[in-house]
Amino acid sequence: MEGPICYTLLGGLLFTLAQPGTDLLPGVFFGLFLLLVALKGKGPREAFLLGLLFGVAHFGTLLWWLAPTIHEYGNLPLALAVPVIGLLVIYLSIYLG
């Protein structure tokens, strides 16, 4: 199962790199292609978990800046801000799963 997991993680990272400001728009297509390659031949449970992992890789690298922002401007200790963002990342990843 190492191949599909690596494809899924790399696809999530490429999907993040394709956001505006990076000029790496083809990353969207390569990221989704890697996800589809990883999903080939998988059952519903495995496909959900790989989609969830894709979402965690994507949203985890996309929303990293929220933790220091909440710490700085929301006066929430960093030790609490990071798990709060982790819950947000998992919540958003469920939609991709």
Side-chain angles (χ1 to χ4, degrees), residues 14-90:
L14 285 173
F15 207 72
T16 299
L17 288 175
Q19 298 302 312
T22 60
D23 293 330
L24 296 172
L25 184 61
V28 169
F29 304 109
F30 290 123
L32 289 176
F33 175 75
L34 288 174
L35 177 62
L36 291 175
V37 167
L39 292 177
K40 184 176 181 181
K42 301 292 186 258
R45 184 180 189 288
E46 290 174 319
F48 173 79
L49 292 175
L50 287 173
L52 186 71
L53 186 61
F54 180 87
V56 168
H58 170 58
F59 290 116
T61 55
L62 183 68
L63 302 176
W64 65 270
W65 58 274
L66 285 174
T69 303
I70 290 174
H71 170 67
E72 181 70 27
Y73 299 108
N75 296 322
L76 189 67
L78 195 58
L80 289 177
V82 171
V84 166
I85 300 307
L87 289 174
L88 175 65
V89 165
I90 291 170

